[in-house]
Amino acid sequence: MPPLSKPLSAIGLCALALLTGTAPASANDAAQAKSRLEKLGDELGQVLGTLRQRLVERDSLRSRLAEADRQVAQVNTRLIETERRSTALQRNLDELRAQQAQARARLDVQRQALARSLALAARSGNADRLKLLLNQQDPAVLTRQLRYQRYVADAQAARLGDLRRQLDAFQERDAQIAADVAALADQQRDLEQQRAQLAELRAQRKTLLAQAESEVSRSEQRVRAIEQDQRELNDLLTDIARREARAREREQEREREQQAQAAVEKAPQAPTGAPSARLPPAGKSPGSAGPLVSATPTPSLPGERFSARRSRLPWPISGQLKARFGTTRESGRTRWDGVVIAARPGSTVRSIHAGKVVYADVLGGYGLLVIVDHGEGYLSLYGYNDAILKRPGQRVAAGEPIANVGDRGNASGVYFEIRHRGRPVNPSAWCGG
């Protein structure tokens, strides 16, 4: 958390002015806001250009990823079809091989029978034909017997040729199926490699797409942040102009009222000690041991105005002043707009006067901050808190607990300010003790 000694930022001051409706905004605030708005416009143009480029890249990657997904799906479809065809061919091959085995068995039986027949014919040579010719008396019978032997031999030769052709056909088909299976296996391996390559490509593109999505998201967030800043600055400029006009009107009305009531004003006035009476010399830092202050309330009349309690208000907590109004801060470039009162963490912080809580939240270097509006343009601010006990809109009485001191180590304490119409005033001129 930044040190609470920093002055309120322009936006913080505007927030306070909106709460009180009385603090005029300076021309410097408006100039800074306009300059910031112009810079934001330039930055927004650059970020929008980057965002458009990121969107084009992301859309291109999305298209390429979709095409890769389609290719993977096509390869998977072809792979499944190839596996199906391979399985069917393998089943057909197994059936043909079983048929060939049976055909070979039958061929072996016939071959053995034919071999015996041929062997017998070879041993007898032409003796049987000659003997048949010599023994037969009837030529017709002889012709029929010779013809029968020739039919038997032709039938055996035809059967042998048929078996050989059938075996050759089985072998050719077996070779063709084996070649088909080998080709399908090669195709399947190619498809597997292609699918792996496509899957790798898809993974790479998904990684790039995720990166592109992240860059687009960051650019969109930056655009939204810049647009939000622009809206806030535009609102700030509008509020500055409106508050300046109202402040001028109030000032004119206040001058008229003072002139009209100057002669008849009889209310007792509180002591008007100079705010600078308690200030240390300009440019000097506060000492390590400041004066002690007390939160003990002093007598007051019911309904007494804040302005009538000058120099008689209690401090919000008892303790030692560690930083005093108007003294130089650590940076040496700014001064304290309030005081810091040393206190134990958890100690109770009390409202110095009756009023209405108008802010109870975190505000920059002030940490948890409570602001009470006491009317007449007077605000009291209580920072460095660890807990807030009141909500905005609640009314509080003088001395009522509103917060607890935060734990800041050796520097624990309460930051306390009093402002009148947006300008810080010296709390030591208002609080006694």
Coordinates of all heavy atoms in Angstrom, one line a residue, residues 330-418:
E330 N 8.1 13.1 3.9 CA 9.3 12.4 3.7 C 9.9 12.7 2.3 O 11.1 12.8 2.1 CB 9.1 10.9 3.8 CG 8.7 10.4 5.2 CD 7.2 10.5 5.4 OE1 6.5 11.2 4.6 OE2 6.7 9.9 6.4
S331 N 9.1 12.9 1.3 CA 9.6 13.1 0.0 C 10.2 14.5 -0.2 O 11.0 14.8 -1.1 CB 8.4 13.1 -1.1 OG 7.5 14.1 -0.8
G332 N 9.9 15.4 0.7 CA 10.4 16.8 0.7 C 9.7 17.7 -0.3 O 10.0 18.9 -0.4
R333 N 8.7 17.2 -1.1 CA 8.1 17.9 -2.1 C 6.7 18.4 -1.7 O 6.1 19.3 -2.3 CB 8.0 17.1 -3.4 CG 9.4 16.8 -4.0 CD 9.2 16.2 -5.4 NE 8.5 15.0 -5.4 CZ 9.2 13.8 -5.2 NH1 10.5 13.8 -5.1 NH2 8.5 12.7 -5.2
T334 N 6.1 17.7 -0.7 CA 4.7 18.0 -0.3 C 4.7 18.2 1.2 O 5.6 17.8 1.9 CB 3.7 16.9 -0.7 OG1 4.2 15.7 -0.2 CG2 3.7 16.8 -2.3
R335 N 3.5 18.7 1.7 CA 3.3 18.9 3.1 C 2.1 18.1 3.6 O 1.3 17.7 2.8 CB 3.1 20.4 3.4 CG 4.4 21.2 3.1 CD 4.1 22.7 3.4 NE 5.2 23.5 3.1 CZ 6.1 23.8 4.0 NH1 6.0 23.4 5.3 NH2 7.2 24.6 3.7
W336 N 2.1 17.9 4.9 CA 1.0 17.1 5.4 C -0.3 18.0 5.4 O -0.3 19.1 5.8 CB 1.3 16.7 6.9 CG 2.2 15.6 7.0 CD1 3.6 15.7 7.3 CD2 2.0 14.2 7.0 NE1 4.2 14.5 7.3 CE2 3.2 13.5 7.2 CE3 0.8 13.5 6.8 CZ2 3.3 12.2 7.1 CZ3 0.9 12.1 6.7 CH2 2.1 11.5 6.9
D337 N -1.4 17.4 4.9 CA -2.7 18.1 4.9 C -3.5 17.8 6.2 O -4.6 18.3 6.4 CB -3.5 17.6 3.7 CG -3.0 18.2 2.4 OD1 -2.3 19.2 2.4 OD2 -3.2 17.5 1.4
G338 N -2.9 16.9 7.0 CA -3.6 16.5 8.3 C -2.5 16.1 9.3 O -1.4 16.6 9.2
V339 N -2.9 15.3 10.2 CA -1.9 14.9 11.3 C -2.0 13.4 11.4 O -3.0 12.7 10.9 CB -2.2 15.5 12.7 CG1 -2.1 17.0 12.6 CG2 -3.6 15.1 13.1
V340 N -0.9 12.8 12.0 CA -0.9 11.4 12.3 C -0.8 11.2 13.8 O 0.2 11.8 14.4 CB 0.2 10.6 11.6 CG1 0.2 9.2 11.9 CG2 0.1 10.8 10.0
I341 N -1.7 10.5 14.4 CA -1.7 10.3 15.9 C -1.3 8.9 16.2 O -2.0 8.0 15.7 CB -3.1 10.7 16.4 CG1 -3.6 12.0 16.0 CG2 -3.1 10.6 18.0 CD1 -5.0 12.3 16.4
A342 N -0.3 8.7 16.9 CA 0.1 7.3 17.3 C -0.9 6.7 18.2 O -1.5 7.3 19.1 CB 1.5 7.4 18.0
A343 N -1.2 5.4 17.9 CA -2.2 4.7 18.7 C -2.0 3.2 18.5 O -1.4 2.7 17.5 CB -3.6 5.1 18.3
R344 N -2.4 2.4 19.5 CA -2.3 1.0 19.4 C -3.3 0.4 18.4 O -4.4 0.9 18.3 CB -2.6 0.3 20.8 CG -1.5 0.7 21.9 CD -1.8 -0.2 23.1 NE -3.1 -0.2 23.5 CZ -3.6 0.7 24.3 NH1 -2.9 1.7 24.8 NH2 -4.9 0.7 24.7
P345 N -2.9 -0.6 17.7 CA -3.8 -1.3 16.7 C -5.1 -1.7 17.5 O -5.0 -2.3 18.6 CB -3.0 -2.4 16.2 CG -1.6 -2.0 16.3 CD -1.5 -1.2 17.6
G346 N -6.2 -1.5 16.9 CA -7.5 -1.9 17.5 C -8.1 -0.9 18.3 O -9.3 -1.1 18.8
S347 N -7.4 0.2 18.6 CA -8.0 1.3 19.5 C -9.2 1.9 18.7 O -9.2 1.9 17.5 CB -6.9 2.3 19.8 OG -5.8 1.8 20.5
T348 N -10.1 2.5 19.5 CA -11.3 3.0 18.9 C -11.1 4.5 18.4 O -10.5 5.3 19.1 CB -12.4 3.0 20.0 OG1 -12.7 1.7 20.4 CG2 -13.7 3.6 19.4
V349 N -11.5 4.7 17.2 CA -11.5 6.0 16.6 C -12.9 6.6 16.7 O -13.9 6.0 16.3 CB -11.0 6.0 15.1 CG1 -11.0 7.4 14.6 CG2 -9.7 5.3 15.0
R350 N -13.0 7.9 17.2 CA -14.3 8.5 17.5 C -14.5 9.7 16.7 O -13.6 10.4 16.3 CB -14.5 8.8 19.0 CG -14.3 7.6 19.9 CD -14.4 7.9 21.3 NE -14.2 6.8 22.2 CZ -15.2 5.9 22.5 NH1 -16.4 6.1 22.1 NH2 -14.9 4.9 23.3
S351 N -15.8 10.0 16.3 CA -16.1 11.2 15.6 C -15.9 12.4 16.5 O -16.4 12.4 17.6 CB -17.6 11.1 15.1 OG -17.9 12.3 14.4
I352 N -15.3 13.5 15.9 CA -15.0 14.6 16.8 C -16.3 15.5 16.9 O -16.3 16.4 17.8 CB -13.9 15.5 16.2 CG1 -14.3 16.0 14.8 CG2 -12.6 14.7 16.1 CD1 -13.3 16.9 14.2
H353 N -17.3 15.3 16.1 CA -18.5 16.1 16.2 C -19.7 15.4 15.5 O -19.4 14.4 14.7 CB -18.3 17.5 15.5 CG -19.4 18.5 15.8 ND1 -19.6 19.1 17.0 CD2 -20.4 19.0 14.9 CE1 -20.6 19.9 16.9 NE2 -21.1 19.9 15.7
A354 N -20.9 15.7 15.8 CA -22.0 15.1 15.2 C -22.0 15.4 13.7 O -21.6 16.4 13.3 CB -23.3 15.6 15.9
G355 N -22.5 14.4 13.0 CA -22.6 14.6 11.5 C -23.1 13.3 10.8 O -23.7 12.4 11.5
K356 N -22.9 13.2 9.6 CA -23.3 12.1 8.7 C -22.2 11.5 8.0 O -21.4 12.2 7.4 CB -24.4 12.7 7.7 CG -24.9 11.6 6.8 CD -25.9 12.2 5.8 CE -26.5 11.2 4.9 NZ -27.5 11.8 3.9
V357 N -22.1 10.2 8.1 CA -21.0 9.5 7.4 C -21.3 9.5 5.9 O -22.4 9.1 5.4 CB -20.9 8.0 7.8 CG1 -19.8 7.3 7.0 CG2 -20.6 7.9 9.3
V358 N -20.4 10.1 5.1 CA -20.6 10.2 3.7 C -19.6 9.3 2.9 O -19.8 9.1 1.7 CB -20.4 11.7 3.2 CG1 -21.5 12.5 3.8 CG2 -19.0 12.2 3.6
Y359 N -18.6 8.7 3.5 CA -17.7 7.8 2.9 C -17.1 6.8 3.9 O -16.8 7.2 5.0 CB -16.5 8.6 2.2 CG -15.7 7.7 1.3 CD1 -16.0 7.5 0.0 CD2 -14.5 7.1 1.8 CE1 -15.2 6.7 -0.8 CE2 -13.7 6.3 1.0 CZ -14.1 6.1 -0.3 OH -13.3 5.4 -1.1
A360 N -17.1 5.6 3.5 CA -16.6 4.5 4.4 C -16.1 3.4 3.5 O -16.7 2.4 3.3 CB -17.6 4.1 5.4
D361 N -14.8 3.5 3.0 CA -14.3 2.5 2.1 C -12.8 2.8 2.0 O -12.2 3.7 2.6 CB -15.0 2.6 0.8 CG -14.9 1.3 0.0 OD1 -14.1 0.5 0.3 OD2 -15.7 1.2 -1.0
V362 N -12.2 2.0 1.1 CA -10.7 2.2 0.8 C -10.6 3.4 -0.1 O -11.3 3.5 -1.1 CB -10.1 0.9 0.2 CG1 -8.7 1.1 -0.2 CG2 -10.2 -0.3 1.2
L363 N -9.5 4.2 0.1 CA -9.2 5.3 -0.8 C -7.7 5.5 -0.8 O -7.1 6.0 0.1 CB -9.9 6.6 -0.3 CG -9.6 7.8 -1.3 CD1 -10.2 7.5 -2.6 CD2 -10.2 9.1 -0.7
G364 N -7.1 4.9 -1.9 CA -5.7 5.1 -2.2 C -4.8 4.8 -1.0 O -5.0 3.8 -0.2
G365 N -3.9 5.7 -0.7 CA -2.9 5.6 0.4 C -3.5 5.8 1.8 O -2.9 5.6 2.8
Y366 N -4.8 6.2 1.8 CA -5.4 6.4 3.1 C -6.0 5.1 3.7 O -6.4 5.1 4.8 CB -6.6 7.4 3.0 CG -6.2 8.8 2.7 CD1 -6.0 9.2 1.4 CD2 -5.9 9.7 3.7 CE1 -5.6 10.5 1.0 CE2 -5.5 11.0 3.4 CZ -5.3 11.4 2.0 OH -4.9 12.6 1.7
G367 N -5.9 4.0 3.0 CA -6.4 2.7 3.4 C -7.9 2.8 3.7 O -8.6 3.5 2.9
L368 N -8.4 2.2 4.7 CA -9.8 2.3 5.1 C -10.1 3.7 5.6 O -9.5 4.1 6.7 CB -10.2 1.2 6.1 CG -10.3 -0.2 5.6 CD1 -10.5 -1.2 6.7 CD2 -11.4 -0.3 4.6
L369 N -10.9 4.4 4.9 CA -11.1 5.9 5.2 C -12.6 6.1 5.6 O -13.5 5.6 4.9 CB -10.7 6.7 4.0 CG -10.9 8.2 4.2 CD1 -10.0 8.8 5.2 CD2 -10.7 8.9 2.8
V370 N -12.8 6.9 6.6 CA -14.1 7.3 7.0 C -14.2 8.8 6.9 O -13.3 9.5 7.4 CB -14.5 6.9 8.5 CG1 -15.9 7.4 8.8 CG2 -14.4 5.3 8.6
I371 N -15.2 9.3 6.3 CA -15.4 10.8 6.1 C -16.8 11.1 6.7 O -17.8 10.5 6.4 CB -15.3 11.2 4.7 CG1 -14.0 10.8 4.1 CG2 -15.5 12.8 4.6 CD1 -13.8 11.2 2.6
V372 N -16.8 12.1 7.6 CA -18.0 12.6 8.3 C -18.3 14.0 7.9 O -17.4 14.9 7.9 CB -17.9 12.5 9.8 CG1 -19.2 13.0 10.5 CG2 -17.6 11.0 10.2
D373 N -19.5 14.3 7.4 CA -19.9 15.6 7.0 C -20.6 16.3 8.2 O -21.6 15.8 8.7 CB -20.8 15.6 5.8 CG -21.2 16.9 5.3 OD1 -20.8 17.9 5.9 OD2 -22.0 17.0 4.3
H374 N -20.0 17.4 8.7 CA -20.6 18.1 9.9 C -21.4 19.3 9.5 O -21.8 20.0 10.4 CB -19.4 18.5 10.8 CG -18.5 17.4 11.2 ND1 -18.9 16.4 12.1 CD2 -17.3 17.1 10.8 CE1 -18.0 15.5 12.3 NE2 -16.9 15.9 11.5
G375 N -21.6 19.5 8.2 CA -22.4 20.7 7.8 C -21.5 21.9 7.7 O -20.3 21.9 8.1
E376 N -22.1 23.0 7.1 CA -21.4 24.2 6.9 C -20.1 24.1 6.0 O -19.2 24.9 6.1 CB -20.9 24.8 8.3 CG -22.1 25.1 9.3 CD -21.5 25.7 10.6 OE1 -21.1 24.9 11.4 OE2 -21.5 26.9 10.7
G377 N -20.1 23.0 5.3 CA -18.9 22.7 4.5 C -17.7 22.1 5.2 O -16.6 22.0 4.6
Y378 N -17.9 21.6 6.4 CA -16.8 21.0 7.2 C -16.9 19.5 7.1 O -17.9 18.9 7.3 CB -16.9 21.4 8.7 CG -16.5 22.9 8.9 CD1 -17.5 23.8 9.0 CD2 -15.2 23.2 9.0 CE1 -17.2 25.2 9.2 CE2 -14.8 24.6 9.2 CZ -15.8 25.5 9.3 OH -15.5 26.8 9.5
L379 N -15.7 18.9 6.8 CA -15.6 17.4 6.8 C -14.4 17.0 7.7 O -13.4 17.8 7.9 CB -15.2 16.9 5.4 CG -16.2 17.2 4.2 CD1 -15.5 16.7 2.9 CD2 -17.5 16.5 4.5
S380 N -14.6 15.9 8.4 CA -13.5 15.3 9.1 C -13.1 13.9 8.5 O -14.1 13.2 8.1 CB -13.8 15.1 10.6 OG -14.9 14.3 10.8
L381 N -11.8 13.6 8.3 CA -11.4 12.4 7.6 C -10.6 11.6 8.6 O -9.7 12.2 9.3 CB -10.5 12.8 6.4 CG -11.2 13.4 5.2 CD1 -11.5 14.9 5.5 CD2 -10.3 13.3 4.0
Y382 N -10.8 10.3 8.6 CA -10.1 9.4 9.5 C -9.6 8.2 8.7 O -10.3 7.4 8.2 CB -11.1 8.9 10.6 CG -11.9 9.9 11.3 CD1 -13.1 10.4 10.7 CD2 -11.5 10.5 12.5 CE1 -13.8 11.4 11.2 CE2 -12.3 11.5 13.1 CZ -13.4 11.9 12.5 OH -14.2 12.9 13.0
G383 N -8.2 8.1 8.5 CA -7.6 7.1 7.7 C -6.7 6.2 8.5 O -6.6 6.3 9.7
Y384 N -6.1 5.2 7.8 CA -5.2 4.2 8.3 C -6.0 3.2 9.2 O -5.4 2.6 10.1 CB -4.1 4.8 9.2 CG -3.2 5.7 8.5 CD1 -3.3 6.1 7.1 CD2 -2.1 6.2 9.1 CE1 -2.5 6.9 6.5 CE2 -1.2 7.1 8.5 CZ -1.4 7.4 7.2 OH -0.5 8.2 6.5
N385 N -7.3 3.0 9.0 CA -8.1 2.1 9.8 C -7.9 0.7 9.5 O -7.5 0.3 8.4 CB -9.5 2.5 9.8 CG -9.7 4.0 10.3 OD1 -9.4 4.3 11.4 ND2 -10.3 4.8 9.4
D386 N -8.3 -0.2 10.4 CA -8.3 -1.6 10.2 C -9.7 -2.1 10.1 O -10.0 -3.2 9.6 CB -7.6 -2.3 11.4 CG -7.4 -3.8 11.1 OD1 -6.9 -4.2 10.0 OD2 -7.7 -4.6 12.0
A387 N -10.7 -1.4 10.6 CA -12.1 -1.8 10.6 C -12.9 -0.5 10.6 O -12.6 0.5 11.2 CB -12.5 -2.7 11.8
I388 N -14.0 -0.6 9.8 CA -15.0 0.6 9.8 C -16.3 0.1 10.5 O -16.8 -0.9 10.2 CB -15.2 0.9 8.3 CG1 -13.9 1.5 7.7 CG2 -16.3 2.0 8.2 CD1 -14.1 1.9 6.2
L389 N -16.7 1.0 11.4 CA -17.9 0.6 12.2 C -19.2 1.3 11.7 O -20.3 0.9 12.2 CB -17.6 1.0 13.6 CG -16.3 0.5 14.3 CD1 -16.2 1.0 15.7 CD2 -16.3 -1.0 14.2
K390 N -19.1 2.1 10.7 CA -20.3 2.8 10.2 C -20.4 2.7 8.7 O -19.4 2.5 8.0 CB -20.3 4.3 10.6 CG -20.3 4.6 12.1 CD -21.5 4.1 12.8 CE -21.5 4.3 14.3 NZ -22.7 3.8 15.0
R391 N -21.7 2.8 8.2 CA -21.9 2.8 6.8 C -22.2 4.2 6.3 O -22.7 5.0 7.0 CB -23.1 1.9 6.5 CG -22.8 0.4 6.9 CD -24.0 -0.5 6.4 NE -25.3 0.1 6.8 CZ -25.9 -0.2 8.0 NH1 -25.2 -1.0 8.8 NH2 -27.1 0.3 8.3
P392 N -22.0 4.4 5.0 CA -22.4 5.7 4.4 C -23.9 6.0 4.6 O -24.7 5.1 4.4 CB -22.0 5.6 3.0 CG -20.9 4.6 2.9 CD -21.2 3.6 4.0
G393 N -24.2 7.2 5.0 CA -25.6 7.5 5.2 C -26.0 7.5 6.7 O -27.0 8.1 7.0
Q394 N -25.2 6.9 7.5 CA -25.6 6.8 8.9 C -25.1 8.1 9.6 O -24.1 8.7 9.3 CB -24.8 5.6 9.6 CG -25.4 4.3 9.3 CD -24.8 3.2 10.1 OE1 -23.6 3.0 10.1 NE2 -25.6 2.5 10.9
R395 N -26.0 8.5 10.6 CA -25.6 9.7 11.4 C -24.9 9.3 12.6 O -25.2 8.2 13.2 CB -26.9 10.5 11.7 CG -27.7 11.0 10.5 CD -28.5 12.2 10.9 NE -27.8 13.4 11.2 CZ -27.2 14.2 10.4 NH1 -27.5 14.1 9.1 NH2 -26.5 15.3 10.8
V396 N -23.9 10.1 13.1 CA -23.2 9.7 14.3 C -23.2 10.9 15.2 O -23.3 12.1 14.8 CB -21.7 9.4 13.9 CG1 -21.7 8.1 13.1 CG2 -21.0 10.5 13.1
A397 N -23.1 10.6 16.5 CA -23.0 11.7 17.5 C -21.6 12.0 17.8 O -20.6 11.3 17.5 CB -23.7 11.2 18.8
A398 N -21.3 13.1 18.5 CA -20.0 13.5 18.9 C -19.4 12.4 19.8 O -20.1 12.0 20.8 CB -20.0 14.8 19.5
G399 N -18.2 11.9 19.6 CA -17.6 10.9 20.4 C -18.0 9.5 20.1 O -17.6 8.5 20.8
E400 N -18.9 9.3 19.1 CA -19.4 7.9 18.8 C -18.3 7.2 18.0 O -17.6 7.7 17.1 CB -20.6 8.0 17.9 CG -21.3 6.6 17.7 CD -22.6 6.8 17.0 OE1 -23.1 7.9 16.9 OE2 -23.2 5.7 16.6
P401 N -18.0 5.9 18.4 CA -17.0 5.1 17.6 C -17.4 4.9 16.2 O -18.5 4.6 15.8 CB -17.0 3.7 18.4 CG -17.6 4.0 19.7 CD -18.6 5.1 19.5
I402 N -16.4 5.1 15.3 CA -16.6 5.0 13.9 C -15.6 4.1 13.2 O -15.9 3.6 12.1 CB -16.6 6.4 13.2 CG1 -15.2 7.1 13.4 CG2 -17.7 7.3 13.6 CD1 -15.0 8.4 12.7
A403 N -14.5 3.8 13.8 CA -13.5 2.9 13.2 C -12.6 2.4 14.3 O -12.6 2.8 15.4 CB -12.7 3.6 12.1
N404 N -11.7 1.4 13.9 CA -10.6 0.9 14.7 C -9.3 1.2 14.1 O -9.1 1.0 12.8 CB -10.8 -0.6 15.0 CG -12.0 -0.9 15.8 OD1 -12.5 -0.1 16.6 ND2 -12.5 -2.1 15.7
V405 N -8.3 1.4 14.9 CA -6.9 1.7 14.4 C -6.4 0.5 13.7 O -6.5 -0.6 14.2 CB -6.0 2.2 15.5 CG1 -4.6 2.5 15.0 CG2 -6.6 3.5 16.1
G406 N -5.7 0.7 12.5 CA -5.1 -0.4 11.8 C -3.7 -0.7 12.4 O -3.1 0.0 13.1
D407 N -3.2 -1.9 12.0 CA -1.9 -2.4 12.5 C -0.9 -2.0 11.4 O -0.8 -2.7 10.4 CB -1.9 -3.9 12.7 CG -0.6 -4.4 13.3 OD1 0.3 -3.5 13.5 OD2 -0.5 -5.6 13.6
R408 N -0.1 -1.0 11.7 CA 1.0 -0.6 10.7 C 2.4 -0.7 11.4 O 3.3 0.0 11.1 CB 0.8 0.8 10.3 CG -0.6 1.1 9.6 CD -0.9 2.5 9.3 NE 0.1 3.1 8.4 CZ -0.1 3.0 7.1 NH1 -1.1 2.3 6.5 NH2 0.8 3.6 6.3
G409 N 2.5 -1.7 12.3 CA 3.8 -1.9 13.0 C 4.1 -0.7 13.9 O 3.3 -0.2 14.6
N410 N 5.4 -0.3 13.8 CA 5.8 0.8 14.7 C 5.2 2.1 14.3 O 5.2 3.1 15.0 CB 7.4 0.9 14.6 CG 8.1 -0.3 15.1 OD1 7.5 -0.9 16.0 ND2 9.3 -0.6 14.6
A411 N 4.6 2.2 13.1 CA 4.0 3.4 12.6 C 2.5 3.4 12.7 O 1.8 4.2 12.1 CB 4.4 3.6 11.1
S412 N 2.0 2.5 13.6 CA 0.5 2.4 13.7 C -0.1 3.7 14.3 O 0.5 4.3 15.2 CB 0.1 1.3 14.7 OG 0.5 0.0 14.1
G413 N -1.2 4.1 13.8 CA -1.8 5.3 14.2 C -3.0 5.7 13.4 O -3.5 4.8 12.5
V414 N -3.5 6.9 13.5 CA -4.7 7.4 12.8 C -4.3 8.6 12.0 O -3.6 9.5 12.5 CB -5.8 7.8 13.8 CG1 -7.0 8.4 13.0 CG2 -6.3 6.6 14.5
Y415 N -4.6 8.6 10.7 CA -4.5 9.8 9.9 C -5.8 10.6 10.1 O -6.9 10.1 9.8 CB -4.2 9.5 8.5 CG -4.1 10.7 7.6 CD1 -2.9 11.5 7.6 CD2 -5.2 11.2 6.9 CE1 -2.8 12.6 6.9 CE2 -5.1 12.3 6.1 CZ -3.9 13.0 6.1 OH -3.8 14.2 5.4
F416 N -5.6 11.9 10.4 CA -6.8 12.8 10.7 C -6.7 14.1 10.0 O -5.6 14.7 10.0 CB -6.9 13.0 12.2 CG -8.0 13.9 12.7 CD1 -9.3 13.7 12.4 CD2 -7.6 15.1 13.4 CE1 -10.3 14.6 12.8 CE2 -8.6 16.0 13.8 CZ -9.9 15.7 13.5
E417 N -7.8 14.5 9.3 CA -7.8 15.7 8.6 C -9.1 16.4 8.9 O -10.1 15.8 9.2 CB -7.8 15.5 7.1 CG -6.5 15.5 6.4 CD -6.6 15.5 4.9 OE1 -7.5 16.2 4.4 OE2 -5.8 14.9 4.2
I418 N -9.1 17.7 8.8 CA -10.3 18.6 8.8 C -10.3 19.4 7.5 O -9.3 20.0 7.2 CB -10.4 19.5 10.0 CG1 -10.5 18.6 11.3 CG2 -11.7 20.4 9.9 CD1 -10.6 19.5 12.6

